[in-house]
Amino acid sequence: MDPVSRASELRQILEHHAYLYYVLDKPEVSDSEYDKWFRELQDLERDHPELATADSPTLRIGGPPVDGLKPHRHAIPMLSLDNSFGHDELRAFDEKIKRFLESEQELEYLCELKFDGASISLTYVDGVLEIGTTRGDGTTGEDVTHNAKTVRGIPLRMRKPLPGRIEVRGEVVMLKAAFEELNLGKAERGEQLFANPRNAAAGGLRQLDSRLTAARKLSFFTYGVGQVDLNEGRRLADTQSAVIDRLKELGFASRSESRAVVGIEQVIEFVEEIHRVRPTLPFGIDGVVIKVNSLDLQEQLGFTARGPRWAIAYKFPAEQAFTTLNRIFAQVGRTGVITPVADLEPVQVGGVTVSRATLHNYEDLARKDVREGDVVIVQRAGDVIPEVVGPVLDKRSGDLNVISEPSECPECGTPVFRKVGEVALRCPNRSCPAQIAAKLRHFVGRKMMDIDGLGEKLIDRFLETGMITDLPSIYRLRERREELIGFDRLGELSIDNLLASIEESKTRTLARFLFALGIPSVGEKGGQDISRELRTLDAIRTADYATLMEIPNIGPHTAGEVQEWFEDPDNHRMVDELIELGVAPIEGEEPVSDLFAGQTIVFTGKLERFTREAAEAFVAKMGGKSAGSVSKNTSLVVAGPGAGSKLQKADQLGVKVATEEEFLALLPEGSL
Ligand code: IVH
């Protein structure tokens, strides 16, 4: 047989057996037979480089390192899910959905395993894998195509190519067996072990050298689709379960445990069943994901800022372990709150090594009566910080040290205090070094100002040497470039990279800026809520209590904190200083997609499906602008019944016009 035909035959054989193995879980040949074909193809491609293709199974072994991981903006954001714990929270979810749909009929749910790995989005064009990206912050991920190609459950080419473009989403996981094998090898070589399969999978996906990813033997399971823009339409099927079935036909692995059930009581039966079999599964899961099965209903339900209304994650109860508590120390946070933290004898809790755990506050510590030297129960629930549940009194022996609350800040010696009605103990000293360090760490964080290269250690070194003293001084580092070179053995390149990311951080959204300031009680969501309503920094700074109270989701406590924070002269001065140094938060909402990037859309006439404000907010969310009048720069006019002069103008200027229905059809499924 000529090499061209043989190479193509070998690829078909290898793909077929990979499908039997990874998707159907029914291998028909041994590993060594598979390897024999694989080597034959490798040899052929080596001798005839012109035969190599972009989707050859030989790519699974990886290739030379790439320069860096490029950011990739998701066409549709990769959202996360609300969590639920316990059966009653599932029942509440079911009731909320029925209320929303104004229906009393039992709903069909698809229950899936909640894989504990790293999410990935895979874009196929005409059936060929084109891009693989991580989730990142949900809006922007990293291009890891080179690594995705090494993951055997990810088809390089679909079994039945679909004309058009489709984004397949799912989780990359490391099987327990692969994890053990990997760690065994590491132990033998005296290398540091991976803490858990999730970290090993997520880290594996982000390698520059895809040969290292290949060596981790990762697996992939699909759980849905993102953007669908196929010749056949915008949907693969009408239900979530049928979508998964079609993905399986196309060559994507999923899990047979998934089950479509009717009514929430059957969901509860399912989660309990999965909880029982969890230890026997070949990979880690941290719960079950419950999705409304009908895609029509999913569309009706839509999304909140956090995630879909039509799905929820059910998390299994926390995992616990016993260990010895060596020491209790006081940690000072960014708002001056002093938290007792336990130093533990390292212990595995639910697959993760834990050596520190929080004791929440001194009242809690006194109530639990945990002492240094006690054997304690440690608990971890999901991604939450591990906590000490309490001592095992039977195991207590001898006189153990009782830790009472400090009267002075352990870092700066200032007498501590409590706010009326709070349990938290606080250090009142704004110049407390521990507080400043924590504030800085928060400010530069990924979801805040996102300053790359300014990690914890460097912040500490900058503080020690007085290079930075407060938030504004970060933006004065630029003036000290010469001094910085050689500081802590930092090279010119890393200094310039650092300075560049500091510059770049000057134009984050107002929502992020508010979160970054570290105003007590204002988190990511709070920053978004406040900036969405009040829109400008000036309006926020001068808002009175009543104005703040009118903001949806902002209660009396947060309103008070915000007002108090901005009224404080020191904070006032600091914000002024940041602005003088060029920090210019972008006012308006952060777009979550670039569907309408660079486009200006005008709405006119009556809209049926949403209010004018909601429509405009939606366009902004999708990266576009809306305008009140039509000009030659208008990209699209959406005209409802009763549209008049604007529609005429559009016709005159030859601007594209769409009905509300047509506009809705432009939108990716589920984006409303
Ligand atoms: S659906 C908008 N299904 O859990 C719906 N997610 O908390 C998005 N995950 O980032 C996700 N198993 O990486 C879905 N069967 C499953 C899942 C699953 C694991 C992960 C996923 C996501 C996170 C959400």
Side-chain angles (χ1 to χ4, degrees), residues 251-555:
F252 297 89
S254 128
R255 287 295 301 190
S256 55
E257 287 84 0
S258 298
R259 190 184 305 156
V261 302
V262 176
I264 203 68
E265 295 308 319
Q266 285 194 26
V267 169
I268 291 170
E269 273 174 37
F270 180 85
V271 301
E272 285 314 313
E273 196 178 312
I274 295 300
H275 196 191
R276 277 193 298 276
V277 300
R278 180 188 193 189
T280 64
L281 290 170
F283 46 81
I285 60 170
D286 55 347
V288 170
V289 180
I290 298 113
K291 301 174 181 174
V292 170
N293 204 14
S294 150
L295 298 194
D296 281 338
L297 292 183
Q298 285 189 5
E299 260 177 45
Q300 275 187 47
L301 286 157
F303 293 79
T304 67
R306 253 192 320 253
R309 255 188 220 104
W310 42 265
I312 197 161
Y314 177 84
K315 293 290 200 91
F316 292 131
E319 294 179 82
Q320 298 190 333
F322 297 108
T323 190
T324 306
L325 184 154
N326 293 328
R327 192 173 73 95
I328 295 173
F329 64 94
Q331 193 172 56
V332 185
R334 69 185 151 86
T335 51
V337 172
I338 303 174
T339 310
V341 178
D343 226 343
L344 306 167
E345 215 33 55
V347 62
Q348 288 276 317
V349 191
V352 178
T353 311
V354 172
S355 53
R356 278 204 181 161
T358 179
L359 283 153
H360 301 295
N361 57 61
Y362 285 92
E363 272 185 20
D364 211 30
L365 170 61
R367 191 171 46 78
K368 288 176 181 162
D369 185 26
V370 178
R371 303 182 190 179
E372 288 186 331
D374 263 334
V375 171
V376 293
I377 302 169
V378 184
Q379 155 172 306
R380 200 176 65 94
D383 276 338
V384 188
I385 310 161
E387 60 169 354
V388 175
V389 181
V392 183
L393 292 175
D394 296 349
K395 297 258 166 89
R396 185 176 281 174
S397 56
D399 270 349
L400 297 182
N401 230 354
V402 180
I403 300 295
S404 48
E405 62 177 58
S407 53
E408 289 162 3
C409 171
E411 300 281 345
C412 70
T414 311
V416 298
F417 78 110
R418 270 200 179 85
K419 282 193 185 175
V420 184
E422 280 194 1
V423 287
L425 202 62
R426 287 170 192 268
C427 162
N429 174 14
R430 296 250 184 86
S431 322
C432 170
Q435 253 183 73
I436 295 177
K439 275 199 178 87
L440 286 162
R441 282 199 296 272
H442 174 80
F443 187 77
V444 306
R446 212 159 61 111
K447 292 187 164 176
M448 299 83 179
M449 300 303 265
D450 192 17
I451 303 182
D452 230 17
L454 195 48
E456 206 168 320
K457 288 214 180 79
L458 194 56
I459 289 179
D460 286 345
R461 287 288 296 136
F462 278 158
L463 280 171
E464 278 164 29
T465 51
M467 291 295 273
I468 51 179
T469 49
D470 56 7
L471 302 183
S473 59
I474 296 176
Y475 295 95
R476 284 199 205 91
L477 283 174
R478 195 168 59 157
E479 301 155 17
R480 309 177 71 166
R481 182 176 174 276
E482 299 310 314
E483 268 174 87
L484 283 172
I485 295 172
F487 181 92
D488 251 19
R489 283 178 308 218
L490 287 176
E492 201 161 333
L493 186 65
S494 25
I495 292 298
D496 285 336
N497 284 340
L498 172 64
L499 293 176
S501 45
I502 291 176
E503 281 309 293
E504 202 188 303
S505 76
K506 287 180 172 172
T507 48
R508 298 284 176 236
T509 55
L510 182 55
R512 276 169 172 263
F513 181 66
L514 281 181
F515 181 24
L517 287 175
I519 305 166
S521 308
V522 178
E524 184 182 13
K525 177 88 175 21
Q528 289 167 358
D529 289 337
I530 298 171
S531 69
R532 189 182 319 111
E533 288 301 310
L534 300 182
R535 295 189 166 266
T536 68
L537 182 56
D538 266 342
I540 297 168
R541 293 179 77 169
T542 51
D544 58 18
Y545 183 77
T547 311
L548 290 163
M549 278 297 288
E550 274 171 29
I551 302 175
N553 306 323
I554 299 293

Side-chain angles (χ1 to χ4, degrees), residues 152-207:
R152 292 182 191 245
I154 296 180
L156 302 171
R157 172 191 288 276
M158 291 177 180
R159 284 171 63 77
K160 299 176 197 154
L162 283 182
R165 195 178 174 89
I166 181 170
E167 196 191 334
V168 177
R169 292 182 176 177
E171 199 90 346
V172 167
V173 300
M174 185 179 281
L175 301 188
K176 290 176 187 166
F179 175 73
E180 276 157 26
E181 191 187 302
L182 192 72
N183 261 355
L184 211 64
K186 281 182 160 277
E188 279 168 8
R189 293 188 298 274
E191 294 170 8
Q192 171 140 26
L193 306 188
F194 284 116
N196 56 48
R198 186 195 334 121
N199 289 359
L205 207 51
R206 300 187 60 250
Q207 295 295 320

